[in-house]
Amino acid sequence: MWSITSHVIISPESNKPAMISIYQQSLLALLAFSPFLTSAVVILPEAFSNLEIPSSHRPAQRPISAQSPSSTITPLPLVIWHGLGDSFDADGIKAAVSIAEAINEGTYVKIVQLGKDGTADRSATFFGNVTEQIEQVCHQLASDNILRTAPAINALGFSQGGQFLRAYVERCNFPPVRNLVTFGSQHNGISDFQGCASAFDLICQAANGLLKLGTWSEFVQSRLVPAQYFRDPEDLPHYLQSSNFLADVNNERALKNKTYADNIASLNKFVMYMFADDTTVIPKQSAWFAEYNKTSEVVTPLAERLMYKEDWIGLRRLADKGGLVFDLLKGEHMRFSDKDLKRVLREYFGPVRIDEDGNIWDDVDSGRSPQDEL
């Protein structure tokens, strides 16, 4: 069992901009080392399993053309972006890499790294300007000799890493992504932050205090990562005016970025997993781009939203060609078995046929036996 727990334990009350004192800035540094804020991958005994997903939700594999030119069968490189509180060198992430390399032999796996060491990388999941972080990752991936020479790459995002990889596709997409898979990501943002577990959790209470000073202040929007994908449907004016990240990548402002939509529509598959019992991401339906009204408790699915009908980021075009997949996992936020992970790796990141001109043909059946599913 994989467990990625993502406890965002800060809650905003006021949107008024405010000056931040040196004392409050020091609290930001302390938060990076808080044991209460974690999204670390750990291996646990098998305890949960998938909900059965109707076959209609699963993409069909197309047969390889008999007229395919001379080609090579190989898996594409895989990029993984971890979630809040995790790091590139965490044991769980290393284990995920090992499984990816074993399931699809020959896979080159690249973990997004935003710090020179694990401590700095973990800190960057809490603090930093997300726009600048994505620019850093764009340069990081484009500079990797294996990635930049591949005809395409695959991408796997855990929690907030999912919407950040989507932003990579929209803003850079070199090397281009073929299949993007996200687990419990906040594609439509979060409308609330989890409250503190205890009144005596001073670090958590300090974070609450920071956000009370101004979720939409320039200081918070350029430094506190979760605040940059905060989105309250009942306070859209502040969000549209001040959001440093999400309002832009969701193309919600009046001026639309056509490149964002074209890049998403160019994907082969965009697969979004939502956790059925998720109480960490508020609302959990954000994993599927759904809108949730806290007052009426009405959920508006993506297909009924204006962003889909007018195709602000290319999701409708992608759906029209069968590339948009909604999938569901049982359990709490980021809790899934190694069997779940193996299924995803086989289904979406398996070997492909690449011809001598670098064109990618249909996915290839690896011919594994049922025993490999264990």
Side-chain angles (χ1 to χ4, degrees):
M1 162 67 69
W2 298 92
S3 173
I4 308 178
T5 54
S6 181
H7 304 295
V8 185
I9 48 178
I10 37 186
S11 61
E13 288 187 5
S14 171
N15 297 318
K16 297 179 181 179
M19 296 297 292
I20 308 297
S21 69
I22 294 176
Y23 169 71
Q24 289 156 345
Q25 292 182 46
S26 68
L27 291 175
L28 281 172
L30 287 174
L31 279 167
F33 304 98
S34 170
F36 302 103
L37 293 170
T38 178
S39 181
V41 180
V42 296
I43 301 176
L44 299 176
E46 184 79 24
F48 296 92
S49 61
N50 285 6
L51 290 177
E52 287 299 319
I53 307 300
S55 58
S56 61
H57 287 261
R58 299 193 182 282
Q61 290 246 3
R62 294 174 296 167
I64 299 172
S65 169
Q67 284 74 42
S68 298
S70 176
S71 57
T72 300
I73 296 176
T74 183
L76 295 173
L78 173 63
V79 172
I80 299 176
W81 198 325
H82 58 75
L84 186 74
D86 215 340
S87 64
F88 71 91
D89 61 351
D91 289 342
I93 294 296
K94 291 178 180 178
V97 171
S98 296
I99 290 180
E101 292 172 339
I103 292 297
N104 297 307
E105 188 175 352
T107 300
Y108 172 74
V109 183
K110 172 77 171 181
I111 306 298
V112 168
Q113 180 179 339
L114 292 172
K116 62 181 180 181
D117 55 32
T119 299
D121 192 50
R122 180 178 185 273
S123 177
T125 69
F126 296 107
F127 311 114
N129 186 311
V130 175
T131 293
E132 294 175 358
Q133 290 181 345
I134 291 168
E135 289 178 358
Q136 181 181 343
V137 172
C138 289
H139 176 74
Q140 187 179 126
L141 301 190
S143 300
D144 185 293
N145 286 334
I146 294 178
L147 298 181
R148 69 183 181 86
T149 57
I153 62 175
N154 288 319
L156 173 62
F158 293 137
S159 196
Q160 69 180 22
Q163 63 260 29
F164 297 164
L165 277 171
R166 173 169 63 88
Y168 163 83
V169 172
E170 294 179 17
R171 292 178 173 176
C172 311
N173 209 32
F174 177 79
V177 173
R178 176 175 168 81
N179 290 341
L180 170 62
V181 177
T182 64
F183 277 73
S185 297
Q186 301 85 44
H187 290 296
N188 200 49
I190 51 176
S191 60
D192 201 359
F193 297 92
Q194 279 198 331
C196 298
S198 168
F200 300 101
D201 182 351
L202 299 182
I203 293 180
C204 176
Q205 297 296 345
N208 278 338
L210 181 64
L211 281 166
K212 287 177 184 179
L213 290 173
T215 302
W216 302 121
S217 70
E218 183 180 354
F219 182 93
V220 171
Q221 279 295 312
S222 63
R223 289 170 175 82
L224 196 59
V225 170
Q228 294 168 66
Y229 52 85
F230 180 80
R231 182 186 185 277
D232 185 351
E234 298 179 7
D235 188 21
L236 289 180
H238 277 110
Y239 164 75
L240 292 173
Q241 179 180 353
S242 303
S243 172
N244 180 57
F245 168 71
L246 192 69
D248 178 70
V249 296
N250 281 5
N251 248 350
E252 293 183 83
R253 297 188 172 109
L255 183 62
K256 310 299 183 190
N257 189 319
K258 184 177 180 296
T259 299
Y260 290 1
D262 289 343
N263 286 354
I264 291 295
S266 73
L267 291 169
N268 178 61
K269 296 291 180 187
F270 181 7
V271 185
M272 297 173 285
Y273 284 91
M274 180 176 74
F275 292 90
D277 304 312
D278 198 333
T279 58
T280 298
V281 174
I282 304 173
K284 67 181 182 182
Q285 294 87 354
S286 181
W288 286 354
F289 279 98
E291 184 96 301
Y292 176 75
N293 187 301
K294 291 186 291 185
T295 302
S296 65
E297 298 186 345
V298 172
V299 177
T300 304
L302 173 63
E304 296 178 14
R305 297 186 60 200
L306 195 62
M307 73 176 300
Y308 181 81
K309 294 177 180 179
E310 295 185 354
D311 206 20
W312 292 353
I313 61 170
L315 295 174
R316 183 166 184 171
R317 272 186 283 167
L318 185 59
D320 287 346
K321 68 176 187 179
L324 194 61
V325 181
F326 301 87
D327 216 331
L328 188 68
L329 290 174
K330 184 178 180 179
E332 250 289 355
H333 183 64
M334 303 310 293
R335 298 184 67 87
F336 53 93
S337 68
D338 54 357
K339 184 177 180 180
D340 294 331
L341 181 58
K342 290 175 181 178
R343 177 172 68 86
V344 171
L345 292 167
R346 289 194 180 97
E347 192 161 2
Y348 300 111
F349 303 143
V352 294
R353 188 180 295 274
I354 303 174
D355 68 27
E356 54 192 8
D357 295 321
N359 300 310
I360 300 174
W361 293 70
D362 299 289
D363 298 328
V364 177
D365 183 355
S366 62
R368 291 183 176 85
S369 70
Q371 181 65 29
D372 291 320
E373 296 295 329
L374 300 178

